[in-house]
Amino acid sequence: MYPQHREREQPIFSARAHVFQIDPATKRNWIPASKHAVTVSFFYDANRSVYRIISVGGTKAIINSTITPNMTFTKTSQKFGQWADSRANTVYGLGFATEQQLQQFSERFNEVKEAARLAREKSQEKFELTNPALNIAAPQDLSEDRQSPPLLCVNGPGEDKLFRSQSADIELASEKERIKKMLSEGSICEMNLEAELFTLQDSNSKLVAALQEASTNVEQWKKQLAAYQEETDRLRDKVAELEAHGTRQCPSDMVKDELTQSLEELEALLKAKDEEIHVLQAKKSDLHKLEQEREEAMHRLQELERRNVELEQRVQTAEQTLASSREERDEAESEVHRVIGILDVKIFDLNDLRQSLAKLIDK
């Protein structure tokens, strides 16, 4: 998939993104490395068999990061990702315009990292094949008493150093997994709180709309109530006027019955409106309670966001420490191989000397 034999460095994949670097002082805040979106490209150097991420802003190289099998590209949001470069002693961040561009960059990063791992293994195999000292076998006629002490004296410290680095690597890996587990649990809690917050906001908007509608209806009902009270007062005045003039009994009784019935209807209507007003006032108190719950949820969400930031920083620190430990392990392995090569050469020289002495004795 990637070019393996080219005469010069070739681009593999390019994307446009906003580039950021971690603040070296706080190790927490991002510092923009470009004022606008720039081109970020993957390159392959066939001469050295290495892969690099390079971005140039104007005449200055913003990113020059050599990809190693130990690196990890982490998507921290829908459009933002980051990776740590222990050689440059920094953390790079990229902000993309769409989630699809972030996904494509992440996939290509993993592919290039796998290609870098294969290239390293191939170079190690080539080194072992081209170093004749590593392939020289020890003479069969030497006694175990002569072979064992040099091997123990030379290889002992290197193997011990390699074992210690491997133990530290295992401890760092377990710590990283534990921190990632805590971070995932915090993210789940944050998602639950966000869902709860959205539900409260939806309920809040519905209650606000209902309260506004109820307030409008209350104003209308107050106007109707005032009109009914005026009508009631007018009818009562009319009844009193009719009784004062002493009109005929039958018509006055009929009018009085009608007025009494109208008054009862108006009183029942007034009672119903009063009950509706009380219900609306109770809903208003429930709205205040919901607002308090929403504020508490917002506070809890902010606290979880702060904890997530701290956990992310701890994960980054663990990754950087893990990368440093792996580099130390690689150095220890190369030192062990070098010492073994020297030992094999010395054994070969001793074998030649023994053969020469044997020939002299025979003469």
Side-chain angles (χ1 to χ4, degrees):
M1 184 173 184
Y2 298 101
Q4 297 295 329
H5 300 284
R6 293 290 179 90
E7 295 180 358
R8 59 188 182 87
E9 202 169 20
Q10 294 288 336
I12 299 173
F13 174 79
S14 297
R16 293 189 64 82
H18 292 271
V19 181
F20 299 87
Q21 287 188 10
I22 200 71
D23 188 356
T26 62
K27 298 293 184 181
R28 181 172 297 181
N29 300 323
W30 289 106
I31 299 176
S34 61
K35 295 181 180 179
H36 49 80
V38 296
T39 301
V40 182
S41 303
F42 290 89
F43 283 87
Y44 174 69
D45 188 354
N47 295 327
R48 297 189 300 162
S49 298
V50 297
Y51 295 85
R52 294 193 298 165
I53 299 177
I54 298 176
S55 178
V56 179
T59 59
K60 180 182 178 182
I62 301 175
I63 300 177
N64 187 3
S65 177
T66 301
I67 300 177
T68 64
N70 299 328
M71 288 184 176
T72 302
F73 185 80
T74 306
K75 293 186 287 185
T76 57
S77 66
Q78 293 182 351
K79 299 179 182 180
F80 191 85
Q82 66 184 43
W83 78 94
D85 190 343
S86 59
R87 296 182 178 179
N89 194 22
T90 187
V91 179
Y92 293 104
L94 297 180
F96 294 89
T98 62
E99 185 177 357
Q100 183 180 4
Q101 293 179 358
L102 173 61
Q103 182 65 26
Q104 291 177 353
F105 189 90
S106 177
E107 293 175 355
R108 193 55 59 95
F109 189 97
N110 292 330
E111 293 174 359
V112 170
K113 184 177 71 171
E114 180 64 19
R117 184 184 67 80
L118 295 176
R120 173 180 285 187
E121 292 179 355
K122 186 176 181 180
S123 64
Q124 288 179 353
E125 291 176 358
K126 187 182 295 184
F127 172 78
E128 292 176 357
L129 291 174
T130 56
N131 191 353
L134 299 177
N135 297 324
I136 298 175
Q140 298 294 327
D141 54 353
L142 290 178
S143 63
E144 293 181 359
D145 294 338
R146 293 183 180 180
Q147 292 182 4
S148 299
L151 290 174
L152 289 175
C153 294
V154 176
N155 293 346
E159 292 180 352
D160 184 60
K161 182 177 181 182
L162 179 60
F163 177 74
R164 288 198 301 270
S165 64
Q166 290 176 349
S167 300
D169 192 4
I170 294 172
E171 293 178 358
L172 289 173
S174 62
E175 179 68 14
K176 180 179 176 182
E177 292 296 329
R178 186 179 66 82
I179 294 174
K180 282 186 177 180
K181 183 178 179 181
M182 293 171 61
L183 184 60
S184 62
E185 292 177 354
S187 300
I188 293 172
C189 294
E190 182 179 358
M191 291 172 61
N192 293 333
L193 282 176
E194 286 181 353
E196 184 180 353
L197 178 61
F198 291 151
T199 304
L200 290 173
Q201 288 178 347
D202 186 34
S203 301
N204 187 17
S205 60
K206 290 180 180 179
L207 286 174
V208 169
L211 182 61
Q212 292 176 353
E213 183 180 358
S215 299
T216 305
N217 293 333
V218 167
E219 294 297 330
Q220 294 178 356
W221 293 336
K222 286 182 179 179
K223 292 180 181 179
Q224 292 178 2
L225 181 60
Y228 291 152
Q229 287 179 349
E230 291 179 358
E231 182 68 18
T232 302
D233 294 337
R234 189 180 66 79
L235 291 174
R236 284 178 179 174
D237 294 339
K238 188 174 181 180
V239 170
E241 183 180 355
L242 289 174
E243 289 179 351
H245 285 79
T247 56
R248 290 180 298 177
Q249 184 69 25
C250 291
S252 63
D253 290 338
M254 292 174 61
V255 172
K256 188 174 181 180
D257 292 337
E258 291 177 358
L259 292 175
T260 302
Q261 185 177 359
S262 299
L263 286 173
E264 291 177 354
E265 292 176 355
L266 288 173
E267 289 177 354
L269 183 60
L270 288 174
K271 186 176 180 181
K273 297 299 181 182
D274 288 336
E275 291 178 356
E276 291 181 359
I277 290 172
H278 289 306
V279 171
L280 290 175
Q281 289 177 350
K283 288 183 177 180
K284 188 175 180 181
S285 61
D286 293 337
L287 179 62
H288 291 302
K289 184 178 180 181
L290 286 174
E291 289 180 354
Q292 292 178 355
E293 293 179 355
R294 182 176 64 86
E295 291 177 357
E296 292 178 357
M298 286 290 294
H299 181 70
R300 291 170 60 190
L301 182 61
Q302 292 175 356
E303 182 67 20
L304 279 177
E305 289 177 352
R306 184 184 63 79
R307 289 180 58 190
N308 284 340
V309 170
E310 293 178 356
L311 289 174
E312 288 175 358
Q313 294 299 324
R314 292 178 63 185
V315 169
Q316 292 177 1
T317 303
E319 289 177 350
Q320 293 175 359
T321 306
L322 181 60
S324 300
S325 177
R326 287 178 177 175
E327 289 182 358
E328 292 178 357
R329 184 189 64 184
D330 294 339
E331 292 176 359
E333 289 178 353
S334 62
E335 182 68 18
V336 169
H337 288 304
R338 187 183 66 83
V339 172
I340 290 174
I342 295 172
L343 179 62
D344 290 336
V345 171
K346 297 296 183 182
I347 292 174
F348 184 75
D349 293 339
L350 288 174
N351 187 27
D352 289 341
L353 180 61
R354 186 185 64 80
Q355 292 178 358
S356 299
L357 291 174
K359 290 178 180 180
L360 289 175
I361 292 172
D362 292 338
K363 289 180 181 181

